[in-house]
Amino acid sequence: MAERKIAVIGAGGKITTAVMLELAVSDRETPILFAMNGRNAEKMARTRAIVGAHAGDNIRMAEMSLDEALDGAEMILYCASYGYAPCGKWKSMGVYNGAHLMDIGERMVKLCPDAWLLVVTNPPDVPLGAMAKTFGLRRLIGLCNASVFTRKVLSSWLGCEEKAVHLFDIGINHELWYADVQKDGVSIYDELRKTLPAYDKSQVQGVFHDKFPEWRTGFGNNVQMMELTGWLNAPVGGSVRYGGTCVPKAEMSALMKRPTAADYEKLTADMTLEELYATTRRCAAEFPIYIADVLRSLLYNDGKSHSIQVLNGDDFPQFAPELMLQRSVSLTADGWKSDAVEVPVFIQAAVAGRAGQELLMYDALASQNAQTLRQAALVFAERMPVDKLDAWTADILDGKRSVEPEIVLN
């Protein structure tokens, strides 16, 4: 059996370590090479020790330069923390990791043009959209597990298994709407419109919700938005664009218990899996499980449904083909197939503003053009005072700041 090469960019970090552990433990047969590229040798050594202690003989790990890691890779898991600094000939244009990802795209064309690139860092969609535009890459996936939490809350509240609930999501990074919600293959939207206004977080129970109570709490905001619009949105707790919701963000944040760098420093190879998972699976509330699940679909062609960000293409004619649109798709190594669903006029309108701004940001990063950046900022002019635009643009071009909050990317 041929060895499958997964390049891990940002190796040694919390999430990459957790994902490598998930994959290594679940597969004892497929030969997998984790080609590790990172900036901290001590952290990468810890990752190798932790994962190696629980992996089979089929798992191989090796530290490599960036080009060595990319060369011939079948999949690339990107979770670096490069920031807003220039990289090669690229400026970030105020997009976190924007310059670094453009540099990686340039390398991919030469070293692994057919690889799947999965981006964990936020925002994933803008750099990926710019890479598609500039380099013609198409096997691009932005990772966001917003719908995972919606399904967990809804299934608990409905008293059914998670797999019984299917969500037809449409949207941009951290701003999704559900065109339909089904239980056992039958739409229950009308039922939810009648019953969800009586939502009581105390009815949402289970091991996951005991560990991560912020989601059953924050779901009150999503119920509020459904009462106002008739449609359910995500992420749980609501998009940052919608202020004044009933559950303050601070209330959710106070409930979040995420692992720190110090927590990871305490992990050792002699710990049991349960002891390791107690830390690694707290990353972004079990984010590593979701990421590993997406990677498995690419490894094993299982056709499983995932909510991910991929190029729209011809799937939804209401939106541009080059838009990195998040929706539920059936995924294999050959590509994806989107769920067929009618997109209501309200959801089209709610997504359209962000979509147009996103496309301009793709262009700004791809072309490194300051005027396109200003155009993107003025799509929602109420967020960008004109008399501050020049100074804002200059700081971004100098790599001093993000385009946020004036341009919402997360």
Side-chain angles (χ1 to χ4, degrees):
M1 190 183 299
E3 187 174 64
R4 316 291 292 274
K5 183 177 182 181
I6 302 176
V8 182
I9 313 302
K14 291 183 287 187
I15 288 179
T16 52
T17 299
V19 173
M20 288 171 62
L21 182 64
E22 294 286 340
L23 287 176
V25 169
S26 66
D27 192 323
R28 298 285 173 171
E29 296 181 3
T30 307
I32 296 175
L33 166 62
F34 290 115
M36 302 169 64
N37 175 261
R39 294 186 292 184
N40 190 309
E42 183 181 349
K43 288 182 178 179
M44 286 195 287
R46 183 186 302 117
T47 297
R48 289 200 317 274
I50 292 168
V51 176
H54 296 278
D57 294 337
N58 59 312
I59 301 297
R60 191 160 66 94
M61 294 172 280
E63 295 178 27
M64 300 183 182
S65 69
L66 180 56
D67 280 353
E68 288 172 336
L70 293 175
D71 191 17
E74 188 177 341
M75 283 153 274
I76 304 162
L77 178 64
Y78 180 91
C79 193
S81 52
Y82 196 88
Y84 300 98
C87 186
K89 68 181 184 183
W90 302 98
K91 294 182 178 180
S92 73
M93 304 303 283
V95 178
Y96 187 73
N97 287 336
H100 195 219
L101 278 163
M102 292 301 288
D103 181 69
I104 284 176
E106 201 166 17
R107 295 168 190 258
M108 285 178 64
V109 172
K110 301 173 183 177
L111 299 171
C112 53
D114 295 323
W116 285 92
L117 172 62
L118 294 82
V119 174
V120 177
T121 55
N122 277 308
D125 49 351
V126 174
L128 290 175
M131 292 168 75
K133 183 178 181 65
T134 305
F135 307 115
L137 299 170
R138 290 293 179 267
R139 293 184 165 189
L140 307 170
I141 296 177
L143 295 167
C144 173
N145 58 341
S147 280
V148 171
F149 304 134
T150 304
R151 183 180 296 107
K152 285 181 178 295
V153 173
L154 267 182
S155 60
S156 179
W157 189 76
L158 291 167
C160 65
E161 294 185 14
E162 282 183 48
K163 64 182 180 181
V165 176
H166 191 75
L167 303 167
F168 292 78
D169 47 358
I170 298 286
I172 309 295
N173 188 48
H174 291 171
E175 188 169 340
L176 305 177
W177 292 88
Y178 296 108
D180 197 10
V181 179
Q182 293 185 357
K183 178 183 173 186
D184 296 322
V186 178
S187 179
I188 58 169
Y189 231 141
D190 286 339
E191 175 190 342
L192 291 177
R193 291 184 179 106
K194 296 175 183 176
T195 58
L196 263 184
Y199 174 77
D200 182 349
K201 66 181 181 182
S202 68
Q203 295 176 312
V204 177
Q205 298 293 330
V207 174
F208 175 87
H209 299 291
D210 290 340
K211 289 182 180 178
F212 308 107
E214 62 269 23
W215 305 118
R216 62 186 173 199
T217 298
F219 194 67
N221 288 342
N222 306 86
V223 173
Q224 181 184 23
M225 291 299 291
M226 193 186 72
E227 289 185 86
L228 293 170
T229 67
W231 303 97
L232 195 62
N233 72 333
V236 172
S239 165
V240 297
R241 283 212 301 156
Y242 303 108
T245 46
C246 59
V247 181
K249 293 294 190 293
E251 184 177 344
M252 285 188 67
S253 298
L255 295 170
M256 293 182 177
K257 305 299 181 185
R258 302 292 184 260
T260 64
D263 292 329
Y264 263 72
E265 289 173 4
K266 297 174 184 175
L267 300 182
T268 61
D270 58 358
M271 285 182 167
T272 66
L273 268 179
E274 288 70 23
E275 290 171 328
L276 292 172
Y277 285 156
T279 295
T280 61
R281 287 185 170 179
R282 281 196 290 126
C283 286
E286 298 187 353
F287 197 20
I289 297 176
Y290 158 83
I291 299 169
D293 213 21
V294 174
L295 282 165
R296 288 188 193 98
S297 286
L298 298 176
L299 281 166
Y300 313 129
N301 290 310
D302 63 15
K304 187 174 179 179
S305 178
H306 305 278
S307 176
I308 55 177
Q309 299 164 14
V310 287
L311 291 164
N312 179 36
D314 298 326
D315 288 352
F316 291 92
Q318 303 93 334
F319 305 108
E322 62 269 29
L323 182 66
M324 290 292 298
L325 189 68
Q326 182 156 349
R327 70 267 197 196
S328 293
V329 304
S330 174
L331 183 65
T332 70
D334 295 323
W336 62 84
K337 182 179 180 182
S338 297
D339 286 346
V341 64
E342 183 176 345
V343 184
V345 172
F346 168 74
I347 295 179
Q348 292 181 44
V351 173
R354 276 280 311 271
Q357 192 173 54
E358 291 262 321
L359 292 169
L360 286 167
M361 283 304 303
Y362 300 175
D363 287 347
L365 182 55
S367 65
Q368 302 280 282
N369 187 281
Q371 186 175 58
T372 310
L373 179 66
R374 289 192 290 267
Q375 290 173 352
L378 291 174
V379 168
F380 295 102
E382 64 275 11
R383 300 182 68 91
M384 184 70 254
V386 173
D387 61 348
K388 299 184 184 301
L389 185 57
D390 284 343
W392 178 86
T393 304
D395 283 347
I396 286 171
L397 295 177
D398 287 341
K400 294 179 179 178
R401 58 159 295 170
S402 166
V403 296
E404 295 192 281
E406 290 81 5
I407 296 177
V408 176
L409 299 180
N410 293 296

